[in-house]
Each structure stands twice: as structure tokens, then as C-alpha cells.
Amino acid sequence: MALRTIESLGELSGKTVIVRCDLNVPMEDGRITDDGRIRASLPTLDRLRSAGARVAVISHLGRPGGAPDETFSLAAVADRLGELLGDHIRFAADTVGESAQKTVAGLRDGQIAVLENLRFNPGETAKDDAVRAAFAAELARLGESFVSDGFGVVHRKQASVYELAEALPSAAGLLIDTELDVLDKLTANPSRPYTVVLGGSKVSDKLGVIGHLLPRVDTLLIGGGMMFTFLAALGHRVGSSLLEKDQIETVTGYLEDAKRMGVEIIVPTDAVVASHFGADAEHVVASSDALESTPWGESGLGLDIGPATAERFAAAIRDSSTVFWNGPMGVFELRPFAAGTRAVAEALTEVNGLSVVGGGDSAAAVRALGFDDGQFGHISTGGGASLEFLEGKHLPGLEVLGWQA
Ligand code: ADP
Ligand code: MG
């Protein structure tokens, strides 16, 4: 079954529509460093405003932990959204309180307001279904219908993603549609060879997906923080690099499964090891079987894949017809550790077929390194959500909108 569309909500002129966006952008000192997710939200907001709807935008930003915290305010995001839409955007200082109610009630047809960070409220991510439902009910009182467009969170059973969609007439926004069109191409019948590149720092989240991806792909390239759990599984010592000790056994299983299934898992043969975490850190290239032979011994930190690995990864990517990439290969935010991520991004731009980059930080990385969105087949706003979709998992935020895989 397909997703319910905005059209299914009927006439929207004069109606108050709540829109769940994913405006969780990377910030540094209160400044937005990559506004890709805000831009990706524009088509739906534009559509609703043209239809004469009164639009209340809700989103999370970071992980404030269920209480107000200035550092995670959406105020700067609302300003940026206003610049991009060429309109003044109202901002409410809370999510369901007096400020939100007044702001939304004051909207005229075609006007947009952004409400403060959903995660300032413990109900948004509560484990208890009833607590989430109660918070969703408070949100629902603000509007007459609901458009879910935060693709980056559709894998989460959270109040503004799931329970709110049950509480009001609801539909999927245009971003979710676009994202699913591309992901469908990656799952239905991907042209082969099909390579998935994994990296980043959410190691325990991402290791789990590998088991599901193995039967679907031809080649898996492992970089970023998770490479060290693979190297440990191969018997190497990894110094003070990111390591999920309790996952070593699982990873050993993946390596065996892959061999049996004829899937190639390429694990880095070298890494950039640093004296400490910082742009000023001293660093050397070390072979994967000698990561502790650097001047810093056991305290050395692996912060990027090495140049030999980068070259090997790039070749595998260029030879593929379908590539999905989630997770930077190293700490690209620090110049000395950006080369691996740059090499992988470069190779993706040369794929003769479909190349997709997914994940908040991965998307930010390719833009920060000077690539254009147009050089890739698609840049997805969702990392975890894309991966779970590719795994064939049931995504609560889509199913509640009528989706059936
Ligand atoms: P995405 O948002 O694309 O899904 P993640 O959130 O999982 O990606 O990870 C992004 C982060 O991973 C980046 O901030 C990057 O600095 C970090 N990272 C990559 N490689 C390493 C590493 N070897 N050690 C520590 N952090 C790393
Ligand atoms: Mg991230």
C-alpha cells in the first residue's frame, strides 16, 4: 500500500497543518554549518503555504534530553528557514505551551511558524507508549491535520513521528516521497555490482545493519569508527581508537557469513593514527596490523582510513553500478583526517550508475569538502532511516502513513 499524500487531506486553505520536519542540522557555536536538511524541507512547506494553510513546523535538534536547553534551540533554524523562504517565520519559545498556542493561533493563511525543539519535552522520546500518546495529544490540539516529512526520523517510534500521525488526519510530505523513490531503486532491483560503504561514529547502531545487508550487496566497505571493531575481530590491536568490544564476536560472525555468501567485506589495511583528538594532533599512517607501533603506542587514536585503503575503496566504488554510502570514513571535520572521506566522495561522483549519500554528517561532509549535491545521484537526509529501509525493516513512521513494504 502506498503512502497517503497531502492531497488526501483535502482542502487546506485556512486550515492549521502541523508539519514534522527533520531540521536537525549540524551547528557550531550557534551557527548552522550545513543547511541541507532545511533546504530539503522547503518543497512541502512551499506547497502548504501556496495552498493557503497555516503551517506549524515541529522538529527536534540534537539530544537535549527532555528539558529546555538554549544550546539546542531551533531559533537560528527558524531564521534560516525564513531566509530561504523569503518570508518572516514566527518562532514559538515552547512546543505545546502558551507561546506555541498563541503563535499558532495568530497565524494567517499561508503563514509559517516554527515551534521550539520537540525534545525539550520528555514525552517526545518516552519509552512508555501512554506518555508519548499524551504528548502527541497536546501537539494534536494545535492543528487540524498532520504532514510527516522528517524522513531522518521515520525509523523512530516517537510522539511527533508516530502517535501524532495517529491522532490527526495525516499524510506524507514531498521529501519523504522523494527519499522513498530513490531507496526503492536501491532495494527493488539494484543494478550490480552493488556496493555499500559504511563509516561514521554511531558504531553500535550501524553494526547491526550489516547482517541484513550481506544478502543484498556484492561488496561492503568498512571505514569510520566501526573499522576498529573489524580490525579487532581480525586479531589486531587498535590502541585507543573507537572500539565496541562486546561486538567483536558479532563482527567475526559477519566476516564468516560474508565469506560463505561470496560477499566481499573490505576492511582497511591502513589508518591515520593521531597523538590525540584535535586538528593540531601529530599523526602518522600505520598499517592495520601495527596500529600500536606509532610513537603514541596504546594511546594512539585511529581517526581516518589510510591512503592505501582510500585508493582501494575508491576503485571498488568506481567499478560499481549502485553505491550507497553512510558515515564519514574519518573525522572529516578536522583537516588532517578528511582525506579518506574526500576520496570516497570523489569516487562516488564518478560512479556510472546510481550513487546515494545518506546521513546527516555524511551529507554535511560532502558539502563541507566542496562537492555539489548535483554530483551525486541523491543525497538523503536520513542515515539511520535509509539504512533501516535498505535492511527491509518495518519503519513505524512510514507504516503509520499507510506504507507497506
Ligand atoms: P551520519 O550522520 O552520516 O549517519 P554518524 O553520525 O554515524 O554519520 O558519524 C559521523 C561522525 O563520525 C563524524 O562526526 C566523524 O567525525 C565521526 N568519525 C568518523 N570516523 C571516526 C573515527 N575513526 N573516530 C571517531 N569518530 C569518527
Ligand atoms: Mg550523525
Side-chain angles (χ1 to χ4, degrees), residues 97-188:
E98 203 179 316
S99 174
Q101 290 166 25
K102 271 201 184 137
T103 306
V104 175
L107 284 173
R108 289 197 302 271
D109 296 359
Q111 280 186 334
I112 299 178
V114 173
L115 313 186
E116 186 54 288
N117 197 337
L118 285 158
R119 292 190 187 167
F120 286 0
N121 307 271
E124 168 67 358
T125 56
K127 292 264 177 301
D128 185 333
D129 292 3
V131 176
R132 286 199 313 275
F135 179 54
E138 286 188 80
L139 286 166
R141 277 199 282 281
L142 294 168
E144 290 149 282
S145 29
F146 174 59
V147 173
S148 181
D149 209 27
F151 177 72
V153 286
V154 291
H155 59 314
R156 307 272 187 221
K157 200 168 183 186
Q158 295 176 344
S160 68
V161 179
Y162 190 81
E163 283 82 8
L164 181 55
E166 285 184 318
L168 287 175
S170 57
L174 303 175
L175 174 61
I176 286 191
D177 269 350
T178 308
E179 295 273 14
L180 289 185
D181 275 353
V182 175
L183 290 179
D184 248 355
K185 289 190 197 137
L186 290 178
T187 37

Coordinates of all heavy atoms in Angstrom, one line a residue, residues 97-188:
G97 N 3.3 24.8 24.8 CA 2.8 25.7 25.9 C 2.1 27.0 25.4 O 1.7 27.0 24.2
E98 N 2.1 28.0 26.2 CA 1.4 29.2 25.9 C 1.9 29.9 24.6 O 1.2 30.3 23.8 CB 1.5 30.1 27.1 CG 0.4 31.2 27.2 CD 0.6 32.0 28.4 OE1 0.9 31.5 29.5 OE2 0.5 33.3 28.3
S99 N 3.3 29.9 24.5 CA 3.9 30.6 23.4 C 3.5 29.9 22.1 O 3.1 30.5 21.1 CB 5.4 30.6 23.5 OG 6.0 31.1 22.4
A100 N 3.5 28.6 22.1 CA 3.1 27.8 20.9 C 1.7 28.0 20.5 O 1.3 28.3 19.4 CB 3.4 26.3 21.1
Q101 N 0.8 27.9 21.5 CA -0.6 28.1 21.3 C -0.9 29.5 20.7 O -1.7 29.6 19.7 CB -1.4 27.9 22.6 CG -1.4 26.4 23.0 CD -1.8 26.2 24.5 OE1 -2.6 27.0 25.0 NE2 -1.3 25.2 25.1
K102 N -0.3 30.5 21.3 CA -0.6 31.9 20.8 C 0.0 32.1 19.4 O -0.7 32.7 18.6 CB 0.2 32.9 21.8 CG -0.7 33.3 22.9 CD -0.1 34.7 23.5 CE -0.9 35.1 24.7 NZ -0.1 35.6 25.8
T103 N 1.2 31.6 19.2 CA 1.8 31.8 17.9 C 1.0 31.1 16.8 O 0.8 31.7 15.8 CB 3.3 31.1 17.9 OG1 4.0 31.7 19.0 CG2 4.0 31.4 16.6
V104 N 0.6 29.9 17.1 CA -0.2 29.2 16.0 C -1.6 29.8 15.8 O -2.0 30.0 14.7 CB -0.3 27.7 16.4 CG1 -1.2 26.9 15.4 CG2 1.0 27.0 16.5
A105 N -2.2 30.2 16.9 CA -3.5 30.9 16.8 C -3.4 32.2 16.0 O -4.4 32.6 15.4 CB -4.1 31.1 18.2
G106 N -2.2 32.8 16.1 CA -2.0 34.1 15.4 C -1.7 34.0 13.9 O -1.5 35.0 13.2
L107 N -1.5 32.8 13.4 CA -1.1 32.6 12.0 C -2.2 33.0 11.1 O -3.4 32.7 11.3 CB -0.7 31.1 11.7 CG 0.6 30.6 12.3 CD1 0.7 29.1 12.1 CD2 1.8 31.3 11.6
R108 N -1.9 33.6 10.0 CA -2.9 33.9 8.9 C -2.6 32.9 7.8 O -1.6 32.2 7.8 CB -2.7 35.3 8.4 CG -3.2 36.4 9.4 CD -3.4 37.7 8.7 NE -2.2 38.2 8.1 CZ -1.3 38.9 8.7 NH1 -1.4 39.3 9.9 NH2 -0.2 39.4 8.1
D109 N -3.6 32.8 6.9 CA -3.4 31.8 5.8 C -2.1 32.0 5.1 O -1.7 33.1 4.7 CB -4.6 32.0 4.8 CG -5.9 31.7 5.4 OD1 -6.0 31.3 6.6 OD2 -7.0 31.8 4.7
G110 N -1.4 30.9 4.8 CA -0.1 30.9 4.1 C 1.1 31.3 5.0 O 2.2 31.4 4.5
Q111 N 0.8 31.5 6.3 CA 2.0 31.9 7.2 C 2.5 30.6 7.8 O 1.8 29.6 8.0 CB 1.5 32.9 8.2 CG 1.5 34.3 7.7 CD 1.2 35.3 8.7 OE1 0.6 35.0 9.8 NE2 1.6 36.5 8.5
I112 N 3.8 30.7 8.2 CA 4.5 29.6 8.8 C 5.1 30.0 10.1 O 5.7 31.0 10.3 CB 5.6 29.1 7.8 CG1 5.0 28.7 6.5 CG2 6.4 28.0 8.5 CD1 6.1 28.2 5.5
A113 N 5.0 29.1 11.1 CA 5.7 29.2 12.4 C 6.5 28.0 12.7 O 6.1 26.9 12.3 CB 4.6 29.4 13.5
V114 N 7.6 28.2 13.4 CA 8.4 27.1 13.9 C 8.3 27.1 15.4 O 8.4 28.1 16.1 CB 9.9 27.3 13.5 CG1 10.8 26.2 14.2 CG2 10.1 27.2 12.0
L115 N 8.0 25.9 15.9 CA 7.8 25.7 17.4 C 9.2 25.2 17.9 O 9.9 24.5 17.3 CB 6.7 24.7 17.7 CG 5.4 25.0 17.0 CD1 4.3 24.0 17.5 CD2 4.9 26.4 17.1
E116 N 9.4 25.5 19.2 CA 10.7 25.1 19.8 C 10.9 23.6 19.9 O 9.9 22.8 19.8 CB 10.8 25.8 21.2 CG 12.1 25.6 22.0 CD 13.3 26.1 21.2 OE1 13.7 25.4 20.2 OE2 13.9 27.1 21.6
N117 N 12.1 23.2 20.0 CA 12.6 21.8 19.9 C 11.7 20.8 20.6 O 11.4 20.9 21.9 CB 14.0 21.8 20.6 CG 14.7 20.6 20.3 OD1 14.2 19.5 20.0 ND2 16.1 20.6 20.4
L118 N 11.2 19.8 19.9 CA 10.3 18.8 20.4 C 11.0 18.1 21.6 O 10.3 17.7 22.6 CB 10.0 17.7 19.3 CG 9.0 18.1 18.2 CD1 9.3 17.3 17.0 CD2 7.6 18.0 18.8
R119 N 12.3 17.9 21.6 CA 12.9 17.1 22.6 C 13.2 17.9 23.9 O 13.9 17.4 24.8 CB 14.2 16.5 22.0 CG 13.9 15.5 21.0 CD 15.1 14.7 20.6 NE 14.8 13.8 19.5 CZ 15.7 13.1 18.7 NH1 17.0 13.3 19.0 NH2 15.3 12.3 17.7
F120 N 12.6 19.1 24.0 CA 12.6 19.8 25.3 C 11.5 19.2 26.1 O 11.4 19.6 27.3 CB 12.4 21.3 25.1 CG 13.6 22.1 24.5 CD1 14.7 21.4 24.2 CD2 13.5 23.5 24.3 CE1 15.8 22.1 23.7 CE2 14.6 24.2 23.8 CZ 15.7 23.5 23.5
N121 N 10.7 18.3 25.5 CA 9.6 17.7 26.2 C 9.9 16.2 26.4 O 10.1 15.5 25.4 CB 8.3 17.8 25.4 CG 8.1 19.3 25.1 OD1 7.5 20.0 25.8 ND2 8.6 19.7 23.9
P122 N 9.9 15.7 27.6 CA 10.2 14.2 27.8 C 9.3 13.3 27.1 O 9.7 12.2 26.7 CB 10.1 14.1 29.3 CG 9.3 15.2 29.8 CD 9.6 16.4 28.9
G123 N 8.1 13.7 26.8 CA 7.1 12.9 26.1 C 7.5 12.5 24.7 O 7.1 11.5 24.2
E124 N 8.3 13.3 24.0 CA 8.7 13.1 22.6 C 9.3 11.7 22.4 O 9.0 10.9 21.6 CB 9.5 14.2 22.1 CG 10.2 13.9 20.8 CD 9.2 13.8 19.6 OE1 8.0 13.9 19.8 OE2 9.7 13.7 18.4
T125 N 10.3 11.4 23.3 CA 11.1 10.2 23.1 C 10.8 9.1 24.2 O 11.6 8.2 24.4 CB 12.6 10.5 23.0 OG1 12.9 11.2 24.2 CG2 12.9 11.3 21.8
A126 N 9.7 9.4 25.0 CA 9.5 8.5 26.2 C 9.3 7.0 25.7 O 8.8 6.7 24.6 CB 8.2 8.9 26.9
K127 N 9.8 6.1 26.5 CA 9.7 4.7 26.2 C 8.2 4.2 26.4 O 7.8 3.3 25.7 CB 10.6 3.8 27.2 CG 12.1 4.0 27.0 CD 12.6 2.9 26.1 CE 14.1 3.1 25.8 NZ 14.5 4.3 25.2
D128 N 7.5 4.9 27.3 CA 6.2 4.5 27.7 C 5.2 5.0 26.6 O 5.1 6.2 26.4 CB 5.9 5.1 29.0 CG 4.5 4.7 29.6 OD1 3.6 4.3 28.8 OD2 4.3 4.7 30.8
D129 N 4.5 4.1 26.0 CA 3.5 4.4 24.9 C 2.5 5.5 25.3 O 2.2 6.4 24.6 CB 2.7 3.2 24.4 CG 3.6 2.2 23.7 OD1 4.8 2.4 23.7 OD2 3.1 1.1 23.3
A130 N 2.0 5.3 26.5 CA 1.0 6.2 27.0 C 1.5 7.7 27.2 O 0.8 8.7 26.9 CB 0.4 5.7 28.4
V131 N 2.8 7.8 27.6 CA 3.4 9.1 27.8 C 3.6 9.8 26.5 O 3.3 11.0 26.3 CB 4.8 9.0 28.6 CG1 5.4 10.3 28.7 CG2 4.5 8.3 29.9
R132 N 4.0 9.0 25.5 CA 4.2 9.6 24.1 C 2.8 10.0 23.6 O 2.7 11.0 23.0 CB 4.8 8.6 23.2 CG 6.3 8.3 23.4 CD 6.9 7.7 22.2 NE 6.2 6.6 21.6 CZ 6.3 5.4 22.1 NH1 7.1 5.1 23.0 NH2 5.5 4.4 21.5
A133 N 1.8 9.1 23.8 CA 0.5 9.4 23.2 C -0.1 10.7 23.9 O -0.7 11.5 23.2 CB -0.5 8.3 23.5
A134 N 0.2 10.9 25.2 CA -0.3 12.1 25.9 C 0.4 13.3 25.3 O -0.3 14.4 25.1 CB 0.0 12.0 27.4
F135 N 1.7 13.3 25.0 CA 2.4 14.4 24.4 C 1.9 14.7 23.0 O 1.6 15.8 22.6 CB 3.9 14.2 24.4 CG 4.7 15.3 23.8 CD1 4.5 16.6 24.2 CD2 5.6 15.1 22.8 CE1 5.2 17.7 23.7 CE2 6.3 16.1 22.2 CZ 6.1 17.4 22.6
A136 N 1.6 13.6 22.2 CA 1.1 13.7 20.9 C -0.3 14.4 20.9 O -0.6 15.2 20.0 CB 1.0 12.3 20.2
A137 N -1.1 14.1 21.9 CA -2.4 14.7 22.0 C -2.3 16.2 22.2 O -3.1 17.0 21.7 CB -3.2 14.0 23.2
E138 N -1.3 16.6 23.0 CA -1.1 18.0 23.2 C -0.7 18.7 21.9 O -1.1 19.8 21.6 CB 0.0 18.3 24.2 CG -0.4 18.0 25.7 CD 0.7 18.4 26.6 OE1 0.8 19.6 26.9 OE2 1.5 17.5 27.1
L139 N 0.2 18.0 21.2 CA 0.6 18.6 19.8 C -0.6 18.6 18.9 O -0.8 19.6 18.2 CB 1.7 17.7 19.2 CG 3.1 17.7 19.8 CD1 3.9 16.6 19.3 CD2 3.8 19.1 19.4
A140 N -1.4 17.6 18.9 CA -2.6 17.5 18.0 C -3.5 18.6 18.2 O -4.2 19.1 17.3 CB -3.3 16.1 18.2
R141 N -3.7 19.1 19.4 CA -4.6 20.2 19.7 C -4.2 21.5 19.0 O -5.0 22.4 18.8 CB -4.7 20.5 21.2 CG -5.6 19.5 21.9 CD -6.1 20.0 23.3 NE -5.0 19.8 24.3 CZ -4.8 18.7 24.9 NH1 -5.6 17.6 24.6 NH2 -3.9 18.6 25.8
L142 N -3.0 21.6 18.5 CA -2.5 22.8 17.8 C -3.0 22.9 16.4 O -2.9 23.9 15.8 CB -1.0 22.9 17.8 CG -0.3 23.1 19.2 CD1 1.2 22.8 19.1 CD2 -0.6 24.4 19.8
G143 N -3.4 21.7 15.8 CA -3.7 21.8 14.4 C -4.9 20.9 14.0 O -5.5 20.2 14.8
E144 N -5.2 20.9 12.7 CA -6.3 20.1 12.2 C -5.9 18.9 11.4 O -6.6 17.9 11.3 CB -7.3 20.9 11.4 CG -8.0 22.0 12.2 CD -8.3 23.2 11.4 OE1 -7.4 24.1 11.2 OE2 -9.5 23.3 10.9
S145 N -4.7 19.0 10.8 CA -4.1 17.8 10.1 C -2.6 17.8 10.3 O -2.0 18.8 10.7 CB -4.5 17.8 8.6 OG -4.7 19.0 8.1
F146 N -2.0 16.7 9.9 CA -0.6 16.5 10.1 C 0.1 16.0 8.9 O -0.4 15.0 8.2 CB -0.5 15.5 11.3 CG 1.0 15.1 11.5 CD1 1.9 16.0 11.9 CD2 1.4 13.7 11.4 CE1 3.3 15.6 12.1 CE2 2.7 13.3 11.7 CZ 3.6 14.3 12.0
V147 N 1.2 16.6 8.6 CA 2.0 16.2 7.5 C 3.4 15.7 8.0 O 4.1 16.5 8.7 CB 2.2 17.2 6.4 CG1 3.3 16.8 5.3 CG2 0.9 17.6 5.7
S148 N 3.7 14.5 7.8 CA 5.0 13.9 8.3 C 6.0 14.0 7.2 O 5.9 13.5 6.1 CB 4.8 12.5 8.7 OG 6.0 11.9 9.2
D149 N 7.1 14.8 7.4 CA 8.1 15.0 6.3 C 9.5 14.9 6.8 O 10.5 15.1 6.1 CB 7.9 16.4 5.6 CG 8.3 16.3 4.2 OD1 8.3 15.2 3.6 OD2 8.7 17.4 3.7
G150 N 9.7 14.4 8.1 CA 11.0 14.3 8.6 C 11.6 12.9 8.3 O 11.5 12.0 9.2
F151 N 12.1 12.7 7.1 CA 12.5 11.4 6.7 C 13.5 10.8 7.7 O 13.5 9.6 8.0 CB 13.0 11.4 5.3 CG 13.6 10.1 4.9 CD1 12.7 9.0 4.6 CD2 14.9 9.8 4.8 CE1 13.1 7.8 4.3 CE2 15.4 8.5 4.5 CZ 14.5 7.5 4.3
G152 N 14.4 11.7 8.2 CA 15.5 11.3 9.1 C 15.0 10.6 10.3 O 15.8 10.0 11.1
V153 N 13.7 10.7 10.7 CA 13.3 10.1 11.9 C 12.2 9.1 11.8 O 11.6 8.6 12.7 CB 12.7 11.2 12.9 CG1 13.9 12.0 13.5 CG2 11.8 12.2 12.2
V154 N 11.9 8.7 10.5 CA 10.8 7.8 10.3 C 11.0 6.4 10.9 O 10.1 5.6 11.0 CB 10.3 7.6 8.8 CG1 9.7 8.9 8.3 CG2 11.5 7.2 8.0
H155 N 12.3 6.1 11.2 CA 12.6 4.8 11.8 C 12.4 4.8 13.4 O 12.6 3.8 14.0 CB 14.0 4.3 11.5 CG 15.1 5.3 11.9 ND1 15.0 6.6 11.7 CD2 16.3 5.1 12.5 CE1 16.1 7.2 12.2 NE2 16.9 6.3 12.7
R156 N 12.0 6.0 13.9 CA 11.8 6.1 15.3 C 10.4 6.2 15.7 O 9.6 6.9 15.1 CB 12.4 7.5 15.8 CG 13.9 7.7 15.3 CD 14.8 7.1 16.4 NE 16.2 7.4 16.1 CZ 17.2 6.6 16.2 NH1 16.9 5.4 16.6 NH2 18.4 6.9 15.9
K157 N 10.0 5.4 16.7 CA 8.7 5.4 17.2 C 8.6 6.5 18.3 O 8.7 6.3 19.5 CB 8.2 4.1 17.8 CG 6.7 3.9 17.9 CD 6.3 2.5 18.2 CE 4.8 2.4 18.2 NZ 4.3 1.1 18.6
Q158 N 8.5 7.8 17.8 CA 8.5 8.9 18.7 C 7.1 9.7 18.6 O 6.5 9.5 17.6 CB 9.7 9.8 18.5 CG 11.0 9.0 18.8 CD 12.3 9.7 18.5 OE1 12.3 10.7 17.8 NE2 13.3 9.2 19.1
A159 N 6.8 10.4 19.6 CA 5.4 11.0 19.6 C 5.1 11.8 18.4 O 4.0 11.7 17.8 CB 5.3 11.9 20.9
S160 N 6.0 12.7 17.9 CA 5.8 13.5 16.8 C 5.9 12.8 15.4 O 5.5 13.3 14.4 CB 6.7 14.7 16.7 OG 8.0 14.2 16.5
V161 N 6.3 11.5 15.5 CA 6.5 10.8 14.3 C 5.4 9.7 14.1 O 4.8 9.6 13.1 CB 7.9 10.0 14.3 CG1 8.0 9.2 13.0 CG2 9.0 11.0 14.4
Y162 N 5.0 9.1 15.2 CA 4.1 8.0 15.2 C 2.7 8.4 15.8 O 1.7 8.4 15.1 CB 4.7 6.8 15.9 CG 3.9 5.5 15.8 CD1 4.1 4.8 14.6 CD2 3.0 5.1 16.7 CE1 3.3 3.6 14.4 CE2 2.3 4.0 16.6 CZ 2.4 3.2 15.4 OH 1.7 2.1 15.2
E163 N 2.7 8.7 17.1 CA 1.4 8.9 17.8 C 0.7 10.1 17.2 O -0.5 10.1 17.1 CB 1.6 9.0 19.3 CG 1.9 7.7 20.0 CD 3.3 7.2 19.9 OE1 4.2 8.0 19.5 OE2 3.6 6.1 20.4
L164 N 1.4 11.1 16.8 CA 0.7 12.3 16.3 C 0.1 12.0 14.9 O -1.0 12.5 14.6 CB 1.8 13.5 16.1 CG 1.2 14.8 15.5 CD1 0.1 15.3 16.4 CD2 2.3 15.8 15.5
A165 N 0.7 11.1 14.2 CA 0.1 10.7 12.9 C -1.2 9.9 13.1 O -2.0 9.8 12.2 CB 1.1 9.9 12.1
E166 N -1.3 9.2 14.3 CA -2.5 8.5 14.6 C -3.6 9.4 15.1 O -4.8 9.2 14.9 CB -2.2 7.5 15.7 CG -1.5 6.2 15.2 CD -1.3 5.2 16.3 OE1 -1.0 5.6 17.4 OE2 -1.5 4.0 16.0
A167 N -3.1 10.5 15.7 CA -4.1 11.4 16.4 C -4.8 12.4 15.5 O -5.9 12.9 15.8 CB -3.3 12.2 17.5
L168 N -4.2 12.7 14.3 CA -4.8 13.6 13.4 C -4.9 13.0 12.0 O -4.2 12.0 11.7 CB -4.0 14.9 13.3 CG -4.0 15.9 14.4 CD1 -2.9 17.0 14.1 CD2 -5.3 16.5 14.6
P169 N -5.8 13.5 11.1 CA -5.7 13.1 9.7 C -4.3 13.4 9.2 O -3.8 14.5 9.4 CB -6.7 14.0 9.0 CG -7.6 14.5 10.0 CD -6.8 14.5 11.3
S170 N -3.6 12.3 8.7 CA -2.2 12.5 8.4 C -1.8 12.1 7.0 O -2.4 11.2 6.4 CB -1.3 11.8 9.5 OG -1.7 10.4 9.5
A171 N -0.6 12.6 6.5 CA -0.1 12.2 5.2 C 1.4 12.4 5.2 O 1.9 13.1 6.0 CB -0.8 13.1 4.1
A172 N 2.0 11.8 4.2 CA 3.5 12.0 4.0 C 3.7 13.3 3.2 O 3.0 13.6 2.2 CB 4.0 10.8 3.3
G173 N 4.8 14.0 3.5 CA 5.2 15.1 2.7 C 6.0 14.8 1.5 O 6.3 13.6 1.3
L174 N 6.4 15.8 0.8 CA 7.1 15.6 -0.5 C 8.5 15.1 -0.3 O 9.0 14.3 -1.2 CB 7.1 16.9 -1.3 CG 5.7 17.5 -1.5 CD1 5.9 18.9 -2.2 CD2 4.9 16.5 -2.4
L175 N 9.2 15.4 0.8 CA 10.5 14.9 1.0 C 10.5 13.4 1.2 O 11.3 12.7 0.6 CB 11.2 15.6 2.2 CG 12.6 15.0 2.6 CD1 13.6 15.2 1.5 CD2 13.1 15.7 3.9
I176 N 9.6 12.9 2.0 CA 9.5 11.5 2.2 C 9.3 10.8 0.9 O 9.9 9.8 0.6 CB 8.4 11.2 3.3 CG1 8.9 11.6 4.7 CG2 8.0 9.7 3.2 CD1 8.1 11.1 5.8
D177 N 8.4 11.3 0.1 CA 8.2 10.7 -1.3 C 9.4 10.6 -2.1 O 9.7 9.6 -2.7 CB 7.2 11.7 -2.1 CG 5.8 11.3 -1.9 OD1 5.5 10.2 -1.3 OD2 4.9 12.0 -2.3
T178 N 10.2 11.7 -2.1 CA 11.4 11.8 -2.9 C 12.4 10.7 -2.4 O 13.0 10.0 -3.2 CB 12.1 13.2 -2.8 OG1 11.1 14.1 -3.2 CG2 13.3 13.3 -3.7
E179 N 12.6 10.7 -1.1 CA 13.5 9.8 -0.5 C 13.2 8.3 -0.8 O 14.0 7.5 -1.1 CB 13.6 10.0 1.0 CG 14.0 11.4 1.5 CD 15.6 11.4 1.6 OE1 16.3 10.5 1.2 OE2 16.0 12.4 2.3
L180 N 11.9 8.0 -0.7 CA 11.5 6.6 -0.9 C 11.6 6.2 -2.4 O 11.9 5.1 -2.7 CB 10.0 6.4 -0.4 CG 9.9 6.5 1.1 CD1 8.5 6.1 1.5 CD2 10.9 5.5 1.8
D181 N 11.4 7.1 -3.3 CA 11.6 6.8 -4.7 C 13.0 6.3 -4.9 O 13.2 5.3 -5.6 CB 11.4 8.1 -5.6 CG 9.9 8.3 -5.9 OD1 9.1 7.4 -5.6 OD2 9.6 9.3 -6.5
V182 N 14.0 7.0 -4.3 CA 15.4 6.6 -4.6 C 15.7 5.3 -3.8 O 16.3 4.4 -4.4 CB 16.3 7.7 -4.1 CG1 17.8 7.3 -4.2 CG2 16.1 9.0 -4.9
L183 N 15.3 5.2 -2.6 CA 15.6 4.0 -1.8 C 14.9 2.8 -2.5 O 15.5 1.7 -2.4 CB 15.1 4.2 -0.4 CG 15.9 5.2 0.4 CD1 15.4 5.3 1.8 CD2 17.4 4.8 0.5
D184 N 13.8 3.0 -3.1 CA 13.1 1.9 -3.8 C 14.1 1.3 -4.9 O 14.2 0.1 -5.1 CB 11.8 2.4 -4.5 CG 10.6 1.8 -3.8 OD1 10.8 0.9 -2.9 OD2 9.5 2.2 -4.2
K185 N 14.7 2.2 -5.6 CA 15.6 1.8 -6.7 C 16.8 1.0 -6.1 O 17.4 0.2 -6.8 CB 16.2 3.1 -7.4 CG 15.2 3.7 -8.3 CD 15.9 4.8 -9.1 CE 14.8 5.7 -9.7 NZ 15.2 7.1 -9.6
L186 N 17.2 1.3 -4.8 CA 18.3 0.6 -4.2 C 17.9 -0.8 -3.7 O 18.7 -1.7 -3.6 CB 18.8 1.4 -3.0 CG 19.6 2.7 -3.3 CD1 20.0 3.3 -2.0 CD2 20.8 2.4 -4.2
T187 N 16.6 -1.0 -3.5 CA 16.1 -2.3 -2.9 C 15.5 -3.2 -4.0 O 15.7 -4.4 -4.0 CB 15.1 -2.1 -1.8 OG1 14.3 -1.0 -2.1 CG2 15.8 -1.8 -0.5
A188 N 14.7 -2.6 -4.9 CA 13.9 -3.4 -5.7 C 14.8 -4.3 -6.6 O 14.7 -5.5 -6.6 CB 13.0 -2.5 -6.6

